[in-house]
Amino acid sequence: MSQDSQPASGAQPASGAQPASGAQPAPGVGEQSASGSPNPPIEDAHSGGIDDEQAKRVVRKRSYGRTASEMRPVEIEPGFVRTATGSALISMGETRVICTASAQEGVPRWMAGKGRGWLTAEYGMLPASTGDRKARDISKGRLDGRSVEIQRLIGRSLRVIIDLSLLGERTIYLDCDVLQADGGTRCASITGAYVALALACQRLQSKERIERSPLTGSIAAVSCGVVGGVAMLDLDYGEDSNAEVDANVVMTGEGGLVEVQATAERTPLSRASLDELLALAADGIGELRADQERVLADVS
Ligand code: UDP
């Protein structure tokens, strides 16, 4: 978990810290054995403050019996929300996020009259997505700082691969709602939001609202980090909350780096380790791109 994430009522700030109330993953997450998947017994990780030997045990028992360079199973269900212009339910292991893309006529006032569209994103965790119920922002009367940080990341990332001048004066709202959180929710949101956006663009084209697709490429994201001295791809909650280094990497389908959020929590990150993490992430994003392409090809 990145150190600058500051969930109002939720996640613990850094590795080794005691999890605050609301900072547990979904019930059942982390309870099953690696051999039987989905997740290994990583109770130590959940209670925080593990030593290096324990961290190595976590490494040996990755969820789904994964090696350090493997991702959790990914599933993308397109059209999950029929009422949205485009949508997808994405699962990365136990992390599940509903992503919708809703097109609306008009743009924010500061953009009006320019003939260009706009794309923006919102992110939220549903109350039961974590072990302890996470209160909705509306009931606290303010938006959680972590949610603001994540939704800006999602919006920035998706704007990289859309030509807003081809959208006309309309806005696409990407809404990413976490059904179940087990680490990597911002990355799953970006990967799923791309599918929702591509489906929304297809629908706008089929209704002749736009002449051609405004998409200029694809985008996906994956987390990686160093846990117990080992570089690993796609951290689940137990790994994320005990990582010495935690990174979220956003890349285009062509391999262009869009954003790298890397935080060293105990020891500084060397340039060589960063390169190793980026190489892991690039492989993972290659797989995610193939998943996205397959899903979109099946729909059209
Ligand atoms: N988490 C939680 N409650 C919160 C925030 C986070 O239980 O309020 C858990 C959740 O499993 C999440 C993980 O901590 O996926 C890592 O959170 P982080 O802020 O690093 O974001 P993410 O990895 O989900 O993008």
Side-chain angles (χ1 to χ4, degrees):
M1 191 178 315
S2 51
Q3 202 156 11
D4 56 354
S5 302
Q6 291 176 341
S9 72
Q12 68 276 46
S15 335
Q18 205 63 23
S21 115
Q24 283 88 39
V29 171
E31 285 171 3
Q32 291 162 275
S33 82
S35 55
S37 78
N39 276 344
I42 46 178
E43 294 82 2
D44 289 343
H46 290 171
S47 61
I50 67 171
D51 60 28
D52 284 353
E53 277 313 305
Q54 287 170 313
K56 280 178 192 152
R57 237 173 36 230
V58 171
V59 172
R60 282 203 299 275
K61 294 184 178 177
R62 293 205 83 194
S63 56
Y64 302 93
R66 293 180 286 156
T67 63
S69 59
E70 285 177 329
M71 292 203 297
R72 295 173 287 182
V74 178
E75 279 174 40
I76 302 175
E77 185 177 336
F80 187 73
V81 180
R82 298 293 152 110
T83 40
T85 319
S87 67
L89 168 67
I90 181 163
S91 306
M92 294 191 68
E94 295 297 311
T95 287
R96 291 198 180 92
V97 187
I98 301 177
C99 305
T100 58
S102 303
Q104 287 191 2
E105 296 304 309
V107 286
R109 207 178 317 160
W110 58 271
M111 286 201 69
K114 294 183 180 158
R116 289 164 61 82
W118 185 237
L119 179 147
T120 188
E122 292 188 13
Y123 164 98
M125 295 176 81
L126 291 175
S129 64
T130 59
D132 287 343
R133 184 178 185 275
K134 185 177 165 69
R136 292 179 200 272
D137 286 338
I138 189 76
S139 62
K140 292 180 288 183
R142 66 186 173 83
L143 200 55
D144 178 327
R146 172 178 172 275
S147 302
V148 174
E149 175 205 332
I150 293 177
Q151 64 193 31
R152 287 194 178 139
L153 170 70
I154 298 168
R156 274 197 307 278
S157 300
L158 274 293
R159 282 195 294 272
V160 167
I161 49 92
I162 188 165
D163 181 346
L164 293 170
S165 65
L166 296 179
L167 200 56
E169 290 212 356
R170 53 178 62 85
T171 301
I172 295 188
Y173 293 88
L174 297 174
D175 289 290
C176 299
D177 289 284
V178 179
L179 276 180
Q180 191 169 280
D182 186 25
T185 61
R186 73 193 68 195
C187 294
S189 297
I190 290 167
T191 305
Y194 169 73
V195 173
L197 175 62
L199 292 172
C201 291
Q202 279 179 16
R203 185 179 284 193
L204 289 175
Q205 268 186 287
S206 69
K207 290 188 166 179
E208 297 180 358
R209 301 259 195 81
I210 52 177
E211 278 178 33
R212 57 194 170 100
S213 175
L215 296 184
T216 56
S218 70
I219 198 141
V222 75
S223 77
C224 49
V226 179
V227 187
V230 179
M232 298 187 167
L233 184 61
D234 189 22
L235 308 186
D236 61 22
Y237 174 83
E239 293 164 345
D240 180 292
S241 56
N242 288 287
E244 294 99 77
V245 177
D246 169 23
N248 295 292
V249 181
V250 186
M251 291 174 88
T252 63
E254 289 173 344
L257 277 175
V258 171
E259 192 139 338
V260 179
Q261 300 183 325
T263 313
E265 301 201 343
R266 286 183 210 149
T267 46
L269 173 64
S270 70
R271 192 69 75 85
S273 301
L274 180 60
D275 285 345
E276 190 182 1
L277 289 177
L278 290 177
L280 274 179
D283 288 348
I285 285 171
E287 287 180 39
L288 292 170
R289 176 193 179 179
D291 291 332
Q292 290 170 325
E293 281 176 0
R294 194 169 44 248
V295 164
L296 290 170
D298 287 350
V299 170
S300 51

